[in-house]
Amino acid sequence: MPPLLEVGRVDRAHGIRGETVVTLWTNRSERLEAGSVLCAESGSLTVVEARAFQRRWIVRFAEVGDRSMAESLRGQVLRAEPISDPDELWVHDLIGMMVREADGTERGRVEAVQANPASDLLVLESGALVPLAFLVGQAEDRLIVEAPDGLFDTV
């Protein structure tokens, strides 16, 4: 089984019937479709229903029947299996990939992906930061980037 990915967090209880307010850390709202199973510290949670609520979601889980049960989930991170989508780049797939410039110059492996408002950044083992906006292709275990002159000069 592939490692589970962090997809959100239970913020608090909502109402008296066991609903929760959930913040998703992914843009894939299908994580909250009825029947979806999320894993939390307290165990597996099956989504019964979810609706948008002020940039978050109100979610009712089958295993949560009242407010006190919902309150016990406060702050718990929700995890799920990776979604297979060949048209998407996933952070967990980028880690460990080699970065190569279009001219063939290898720049090192990706150690992490750092969130940044303008464009997420690939953090290379050398310490270089490469905006994902410079990514132009992918070949096997390599990411091809077109970086402006001087990007790698200070590392």
Side-chain angles (χ1 to χ4, degrees):
M1 180 163 114
L4 298 178
L5 305 176
E6 293 182 356
V7 298
R9 177 191 65 237
V10 176
D11 292 332
R12 61 181 176 82
H14 179 81
I16 61 171
R17 295 189 180 100
E19 292 179 316
T20 60
V21 176
V22 170
T23 298
L24 275 185
W25 297 333
T26 174
N27 63 350
R28 305 298 293 252
S29 59
E30 66 261 33
R31 294 291 194 183
L32 297 178
E33 288 179 353
S36 297
V37 177
L38 301 173
C39 295
E41 181 181 307
S42 59
S44 294
L45 298 169
T46 306
V47 176
V48 173
E49 66 178 337
R51 63 187 184 277
F53 173 72
Q54 300 175 351
R55 291 197 256 177
R56 294 184 286 177
W57 296 84
I58 295 179
V59 181
R60 187 164 55 92
F61 296 108
E63 298 79 5
V64 181
D66 60 31
R67 184 176 180 88
S68 64
M69 292 174 75
E71 253 329 301
S72 72
L73 296 175
R74 180 187 289 264
Q76 289 193 29
V77 173
L78 300 171
R79 293 176 172 79
E81 290 187 19
I83 295 173
S84 178
D85 186 343
D87 296 328
E88 294 283 345
L89 281 176
W90 302 102
V91 170
H92 64 278
D93 289 334
L94 296 174
I95 306 301
M97 293 188 83
M98 181 63 74
V99 172
R100 176 185 284 173
E101 289 190 75
D103 69 4
T105 306
E106 293 206 352
R107 293 301 183 172
R109 294 202 177 277
V110 177
E111 285 191 336
V113 177
Q114 181 178 328
N116 184 26
S119 175
D120 288 348
L121 303 170
L122 299 173
V123 180
L124 305 187
E125 57 196 356
S126 66
L129 301 175
V130 181
L132 270 175
F134 297 159
L135 182 66
V136 294
Q138 182 178 349
E140 297 173 21
D141 66 339
R142 297 196 181 328
L143 299 173
I144 313 300
V145 298
E146 281 189 12
D149 291 336
L151 180 70
F152 296 103
D153 290 349
T154 60
V155 180

